[in-house]
Amino acid sequence: PTDPGEDFIKGMVIGILLVVEDVKEPLPVSYNDVAIVIEEKIVMRHLGDVPNAFVNLMGLLYMLNLDYPKEMKYTFEVIQRLFMGIGVHSLKNKLLS
């Protein structure tokens, strides 16, 4: 195929894509690329590592006012509020300061 990642992102609503060349272990130690996928499109590439990609994904979802996937709505809300400390009013205040 012309784009090897195309098959992997088909049907993906939201996700983090790890690009590796030769997988010999269940969890590869290094990645060729880390990207964010939203609605079957790669929207950000070359993010370096998974934690950085996850923080960028949360920021994109929040700033673009995208709905969380139904199946993971409560998981994303817990991460947003408890771990990232972002609520409706706190983010507004942080952006305006």
Side-chain angles (χ1 to χ4, degrees):
T2 55
D3 186 6
E6 192 174 288
D7 292 335
F8 295 108
I9 62 175
K10 204 172 268 186
M12 189 181 293
V13 178
I14 292 174
I16 296 174
L17 180 67
L18 304 175
V19 180
V20 295
E21 276 188 34
D22 190 20
V23 179
K24 295 179 182 172
E25 300 175 17
L27 295 172
V29 176
S30 63
Y31 314 108
N32 293 353
D33 194 10
V34 180
I36 294 175
V37 177
I38 297 178
E39 297 178 359
E40 297 184 357
K41 302 284 185 211
I42 296 176
V43 294
M44 290 182 79
R45 298 184 95 149
H46 311 297
L47 295 170
D49 55 27
V50 176
N52 185 31
F54 186 77
V55 169
N56 278 284
L57 173 63
M58 292 300 293
L60 281 172
L61 292 173
Y62 200 82
M63 295 307 294
L64 297 173
N65 199 23
L66 297 175
D67 291 332
Y68 296 135
K70 255 194 293 191
E71 302 83 18
M72 297 189 70
K73 177 184 177 194
Y74 297 113
T75 302
F76 275 104
E77 285 182 4
V78 166
I79 292 168
Q80 172 190 320
R81 291 185 180 147
L82 293 180
F83 300 114
M84 301 186 88
I86 300 173
V88 176
H89 300 293
S90 66
L91 181 64
K92 181 180 174 185
N93 293 337
K94 287 178 185 179
L95 290 173
L96 294 176
S97 63

